[in-house]
Amino acid sequence: MAMNSILPAGGLDIPQEEGLGDQGEPLLVENEFTDEEILELWTVMKQESIDDNWIFTRQWQRNLWYILGRQWIEYQTRYAGWRDKRMASWNPRPVTNKCKETVQAIRAMFTSIKLSVNVRPNGSDPKNVSAAATADEMSPLLHEVHFMNQAMSEFDFWLCVCGNAVLHTYIDYDIKHGEIVITAETCVECGETSPSNEIADAGQKCPSCGGQEFTPAVDPTTGAPIETRKPKGIPCTIVLSPLETSWPQSYSRFDDLPYIIRSRWRTKRYYQAQPECAEMIPKITWQKSPAGHNLNLFTSLGQANDLGVGSNTYTEGFNRGGAQEDGITEHEVWMKPTGKYPQGLVFRVLGDSQPMVVRLENEGLPGPMPYTDAEGNPLFTFAHATYEHVGGRILGSGAIDPIITKQDALNRLDSQVELCLSRTANPV
């Protein structure tokens, strides 16, 4: 097994340098990505991926409603969504939720399976053997650090209900994880002041002159040590539902995808808590709910209960929970290497009607893909799984798709029996 290492290059202030291509030719890594260039690219990606999601969202919304006990529904093209069937008030609407029982049984079976890793070296080189042994010993610890038991439980839900789930491994630079303090030092030989992390990257030498003697750098005005505070990066693995991810449906295999879009809803409170986002707050046009139906449906699940009822806006799936709080939609694009972007491209766009490019120095946005393997090749840290593969497309079908019609028939029969009993009728 090849040993790969994920390096948080996006979170370090490492200047991009000129590298070598496959044939040894100079390979330039772009440092600057203009907003116009990114927004033009985003417009094309949005048309390819997000605009056609409604085809599958219709199916996922039905499955979620059935799991939550809201099964007396029908699809109305006029509203492009599922609504309660129009029936006389005296008609009983019983629900014997076989769909949820099926999902519970499958998830219980998945939970009983204990995943393990057996790391083997991909050669007899001592470095490979040592790396494999270290990774094998670290596997249980990494499993706990990434909260994989909790993640896989959520993964199983989306896999069974919607037939698709995505795992994303990355380094989270949220301020809630704390800060790191980077001190600065002054070179004795040239007098240049550099952060301690740049000195360490240069081999404990001055990046300017190569000197090896340093003194703590102080502010000439206050005499206080010069320090830089940055959010602490925490490695994590999260589960993304099909409502939070998008890609072009013209591809039939996940490995062939040129990019993936991760969408999420961020509240104004989140941006106020992030030091790097302070300058962006006045420029953002805040909203009460996402413009896209997928995120609307996903965020509305916060107001769902197991009785199949909720607020009027929630029940149609066109509003989210806690709509009194301002927020904005984030679309994060991870694009694999191309001729124009040999190290890949990662960028984040805010809003739908008036998109705005996010620039974060700590996360290296926008910029090349932040994680590489031991040989420096960019890593695409997404993994997709389907419950039931469907030929010709990436998206699969869920566990309850085949039993929806039987569930409807059972509900109708129960309704007729109750109606007969209430009328003391005796049909043949």
Side-chain angles (χ1 to χ4, degrees), residues 129-355:
V129 176
S130 176
T134 302
D136 204 29
E137 294 177 358
M138 292 289 291
S139 175
L141 175 61
L142 294 176
H143 187 91
E144 297 296 330
V145 169
H146 287 251
F147 299 99
M148 289 307 297
N149 289 336
Q150 177 181 344
M152 295 311 297
S153 177
E154 182 183 358
F155 182 89
D156 295 341
F157 174 83
W158 293 111
L159 188 68
C160 295
V161 177
C162 297
N164 300 269
V166 176
L167 287 174
H168 179 32
T169 302
Y170 67 107
I171 297 179
D172 186 11
Y173 290 96
D174 197 311
I175 192 65
K176 66 183 180 183
H177 302 304
E179 293 182 321
I180 58 174
V181 179
I182 301 176
T183 59
E185 299 182 42
T186 302
C187 178
V188 175
E189 297 184 13
C190 67
E192 185 73 20
T193 299
S194 305
S196 57
N197 62 324
E198 294 185 7
I199 296 175
D201 293 338
Q204 299 301 329
K205 297 180 181 179
C206 176
S208 300
C209 68
Q212 299 183 8
E213 296 185 7
F214 302 92
T215 58
V218 296
D219 190 325
T221 304
T222 62
I226 299 177
E227 298 178 343
T228 303
R229 294 181 177 271
K230 292 187 176 183
K232 183 185 300 182
I234 299 296
C236 62
T237 299
I238 65 169
V239 178
L240 299 176
S241 69
L243 300 173
E244 302 170 90
T245 53
S246 306
W247 54 72
Q249 301 302 333
S250 56
Y251 294 84
S252 58
R253 294 174 178 84
F254 187 78
D255 292 339
D256 295 336
L257 285 178
Y259 63 87
I260 189 172
I261 301 174
R262 175 191 175 185
S263 302
R264 56 190 166 192
W265 176 258
R266 292 287 202 191
T267 62
K268 187 176 182 179
R269 184 183 302 274
Y270 169 83
Y271 282 88
Q272 292 172 340
Q274 306 299 320
E276 273 201 315
C277 299
E279 298 180 358
M280 300 166 49
I281 295 177
K283 304 176 184 178
I284 299 176
T285 303
W286 301 101
Q287 303 170 348
K288 292 298 183 181
S289 62
H293 186 53
N294 276 24
L295 271 188
N296 251 318
L297 176 58
F298 179 78
T299 55
S300 70
L301 295 177
Q303 292 291 322
N305 61 23
D306 294 332
L307 301 177
V309 296
S311 64
N312 292 334
T313 51
Y314 155 71
T315 53
E316 307 305 337
F318 291 108
N319 209 345
R320 65 181 186 88
Q324 299 302 318
E325 189 175 5
D326 290 334
I328 194 68
T329 302
E330 278 188 2
H331 299 289
E332 189 173 283
V333 178
W334 290 68
M335 187 173 70
K336 295 179 180 179
T338 63
K340 186 176 182 180
Y341 306 102
Q343 297 299 315
L345 177 62
V346 179
F347 64 87
R348 192 177 299 166
V349 176
L350 295 183
D352 293 295
S353 58
Q354 298 177 346

